[in-house]
Amino acid sequence: MIKMNNIVKRFDNHTVLSDVTFEVKEKEIFGLLGPSGAGKTTIINILTNQLKSDSGSHEINVIPFETGLMLDEDGLYVRLSCIENLDVFACIYGIPRKKSMEALKSVGLIGAEKKPVSALSRGMRQRLAFARAILHSPKILFLDEPTSGLDPGTAQGIHEIIQNLRKNGATIFLTTHNMEEAVKLCDKVALLHKGRIVEQGAPAEICERHHAFKTVPDLESVFIKMTGMDVQ
Amino acid sequence: MRSAKAIFIKQARDLFRNRMMLIQFIIFPVMAFVMTEFVAKSTPEIPSSMFVTMFAAMFIGMTPLSMTAGVIAEDKEHNSLRFLVMAGVKPHEYLIGTCGFTFLACALVSLLFGLIGGFTSVELAKFVAVLILGSCASLLLGATIGLFSKNQQAATAISTPTFMLLAFSPMIAQFNTNVAKVSTIFYTQQVNTIVNNLTDGIMKPILIILANIAILLTLFIIVYRKNKIRGKR
Ligand SMILES: Nc1ncnc2c1ncn2[C@@H]1O[C@H](COP(=O)(O)OP(=O)(O)O)[C@@H](O)[C@H]1O
Ligand SMILES: [Mg+2]
């Protein structure tokens, strides 16, 4: 569904990604893990064709219309209300307006639909950005740190929606620096460190592989072991 | 054209929530109305349509320019443009939606000015047509500044002195012949000339306005090619 082969990306002679290779299968939840500055957002930008890589190739097996996107900046229209923000995109996609309401409902923003974005809390804003990403029922969803900075309750809500979307056949590519989230949600993860993938596989598999390092292996300790840093 | 329509509607909704922009649409016709009713009508020496033409010409130099520049720069700064592009919106659809709404709003306000001015129907048609032509020039310049600027602050830094120059030089030109010589090449001066002498021939001023539009369009195309609408900073 999503493939990246030997991708290299430099910004003014500073290598940000080196030889990144991975594959995401259909209906998988794939987690790209790494501390900030590792290159996660850069990978999403390359996959969504917002940025060109210096070498290597990538492919996505759906048309652009079928991808949904949540980036590190939400790009919401601050003076418009929640529902008006979604209506802009419903109109662009040519889907019925009732979809906007459904999307708001699925992220628990019913009751706040007429509030301007500038009056929303951070968590509500993030949920609105999420609603916009899933508005047109995309087949692939790119989520750049979908729960960063959210309270546990809201994050939990977003996790449930992600799992439901997968049940309905969506493929999900998410980035996070939260190991717990990765273990809970992802079928497969890749650990990114300074632009290199240092480990990938199913979370349990990775822990298994590094069993010798620690008596009670968990993904976080593997990560700290691999990168020599505390990611939290 | 679905996308252009979506952006047009968004723009319309946004204008009524954006006080700074809304005021630029309201203040000029309101001033024109107040000054005409309470000053011009009671002072025989002042031509009855003087304030209408003065504020209308200022409006044309200022509002379409700063609104277009501001909207495009804001969409870039807040990353909204990125999401539009990712949703498949083409650059020309974005520009049609954004500029199209500003154009319509300016055309309506121009008509309002015309009605306040109490012109004959021929004069009214001429007056509105010239203001609309002037709006086109201002829109093009505003869009160029918006495309060129990284954020709203940069856009304001360029658009404010630009519209000050364009909107106010015709006024200063009345008292200063040197300024008058320079300002004849500006479309704002020509709009001013036409709306102040609606019974005179308009061939030459119209040609100068069209030349302005041609130059601004060229400038716009150059900047547009260099600053692709990707929504990336
Ligand atoms: N446009 C850019 N120009 C120069 N350097 C950049 C640019 N974008 C990202 N970088 C650099 O690339 C590295 C990876 O950034 P990013 O992909 O945003 O990391 P992450 O999302 O994992 O936090 C960082 O060191 C960052 O400073
Ligand atoms: Mg990032």
Side-chain angles (χ1 to χ4, degrees), chain A residues 40-41 72 144-145:
Chain A
K40 305 183 294 294
T41 300
D72 47 358
D144 198 355
E145 309 201 8

Side-chain angles (χ1 to χ4, degrees), chain A residues 11-12 14 16 34-43 144-145 192, chain B residues 232:
Chain A
F11 285 117
D12 338 294
H14 169 63
V16 173
S36 54
K40 305 183 294 294
T41 300
T42 306
I43 288 182
D144 198 355
E145 309 201 8
L192 191 69
Chain B
K232 270 294 269 174

